Amino acid sequence: MLFSSHVPRWLQVLLAEKFFNACIVHEEAKKNEKNIFCLDCCISICTHCFHPHCSHKLLQIRRYVYHDVIRLDDATKLMDCSFVQSYITNGAKVIFINQRPQTRQFRGSGNFCTVCDRSLQDPYLFCSLSCKVNYLLRTEDGLSKFLFECNYLPLNDSGLDDGLVTPDSVLEPSCSTRTSSGSGGYEEVWCRALASTATTMEVVRKKRTTLTVCRPTCPAVSEVSGSLMNRRKKTPQRAPLY
C-alpha cells in the first residue's frame, strides 16, 4: 500500500530504503555509510556526497540496534507524527522509521500498536512511522491532510555524525507523552520513579566504594610463609653445669 499514488515519492523511498550500506561512489573512503536522506533527490547519500546536496532538504538517519530512527523534530516538519511512540537517545527524541520484527506474537492486556500489535505505552497508537502511514492509507482518503509543506530542512545544528548510537547512550521511552490532545499520564511519574531508583543505586555504589577503600589490607599468604621460612634460628643455649 505504500507504493500508491496517495503516498509522495520521498516518503515511499524513505520507508523502503536500506540505510547504512556502503556508498558505491566512495567505497574506498572511511565513514562511507549512507546515513543521510535527500528528500529532493529521493536518494540516500554518505557524508562525502553531502556538498552537491547541501541546499536540499535533508534527513539525518540514525541507527539503534540495527533499526533506523529519525529525529522527531525533523519528522514533525514533514508530517503529523502524533501518537507515534517516541524515544530519547543522545538527548533528542526519535521515532522508528519502520516496524521492528517481533520474536513472538503475544497480545495480553495493555496498549498495543494498531497495525503490528507491538506493546506500547499509553497513549501511543503506532510503534513507527510506517505503521501510522499504513493505518492512514486504510482508513483515510490519502495522506494529504497529514503531510506538511516543508521548503527548508537542513541537517541539525550538531552537524554530520556517523548516526550510530554510542554504547554510553541508552534508548528509553520518552518521559513526555503529551500529544496534541494534551494527555499526560502515569509515565511521567514512572520516569521520576526511575530517576529516584538510579539515585539510590548510585548512593549504594558510593557506600560500597568507601567500604572497600577503608578495609585494612593483609599481607598475602605467600609473603607470610616466606617470612617464616627465612627467619634464622637462634643458637640453643646449654643448661648450666653444677
Side-chain angles (χ1 to χ4, degrees):
M1 296 180 64
L2 294 178
F3 296 94
S4 67
S5 58
H6 299 288
V7 183
R9 174 64 179 166
W10 67 264
L11 185 55
Q12 293 182 18
V13 178
L14 175 66
L15 298 179
E17 184 71 7
K18 301 297 182 182
F19 295 100
F20 289 92
N21 291 331
C23 178
I24 300 178
V25 179
H26 303 96
E27 58 183 354
E28 300 297 332
K30 295 182 179 179
K31 295 186 177 181
N32 63 347
E33 298 86 359
K34 295 191 293 183
N35 61 348
I36 303 173
F37 181 70
C38 179
L39 281 78
D40 293 335
C41 303
C42 294
I43 59 172
S44 58
I45 62 176
C46 72
T47 55
H48 305 286
C49 303
F50 171 73
H51 183 69
H53 303 268
C54 60
S55 61
H56 296 176
K57 296 187 290 290
L58 302 173
L59 272 178
Q60 169 85 59
I61 311 299
R62 290 171 171 81
R63 174 161 285 195
Y64 177 77
V65 194
Y66 306 107
H67 292 4
D68 300 328
V69 297
I70 56 177
R71 289 167 59 97
L72 182 61
D73 288 343
D74 294 336
T76 51
K77 296 175 183 177
L78 301 171
M79 68 172 295
D80 180 7
C81 296
S82 59
F83 299 106
V84 178
Q85 178 157 317
S86 61
Y87 297 83
I88 296 179
T89 175
N90 290 344
K93 289 185 179 181
V94 299
I95 58 175
F96 284 97
I97 297 178
N98 291 296
Q99 68 184 65
R100 293 159 287 160
Q102 304 184 63
T103 55
R104 59 179 181 176
Q105 293 287 340
F106 175 75
R107 189 179 179 90
S109 60
N111 192 40
F112 297 89
C113 177
T114 307
V115 176
C116 68
D117 292 339
R118 175 174 287 275
S119 178
L120 301 175
Q121 295 180 5
D122 288 327
Y124 297 117
L125 301 177
F126 311 101
C127 70
S128 62
L129 186 63
S130 65
C131 282
K132 179 165 186 176
V133 171
N134 276 314
Y135 176 81
L136 293 177
L137 290 175
R138 292 202 310 256
T139 59
E140 302 288 339
D141 296 330
L143 301 176
S144 58
K145 295 185 297 183
F146 303 92
L147 297 176
F148 305 138
E149 183 177 356
C150 179
N151 297 321
Y152 182 67
L153 186 63
L155 294 181
N156 59 75
D157 296 336
S158 60
L160 294 173
D161 55 51
D162 56 11
L164 299 176
V165 178
T166 61
D168 294 334
S169 302
V170 178
L171 190 68
E172 59 184 1
S174 170
C175 292
S176 176
T177 59
R178 299 186 181 275
T179 61
S180 57
S181 61
S183 60
Y186 61 86
E187 279 131 29
E188 295 181 1
V189 178
W190 175 74
C191 290
R192 288 197 296 269
L194 285 180
S196 176
T197 304
T199 304
T200 305
M201 293 177 64
E202 183 65 24
V203 172
V204 173
R205 189 181 298 110
K206 289 182 178 179
K207 287 184 178 181
R208 289 179 178 176
T209 304
T210 305
L211 292 176
T212 304
V213 173
C214 297
R215 186 179 299 167
T217 57
C218 300
V221 176
S222 58
E223 295 179 1
V224 175
S225 302
S227 176
L228 292 174
M229 294 181 64
N230 294 333
R231 185 182 298 171
R232 294 182 62 182
K233 295 182 179 180
K234 296 182 179 180
T235 305
Q237 298 181 358
R238 294 182 180 180
L241 298 176
Y242 295 99

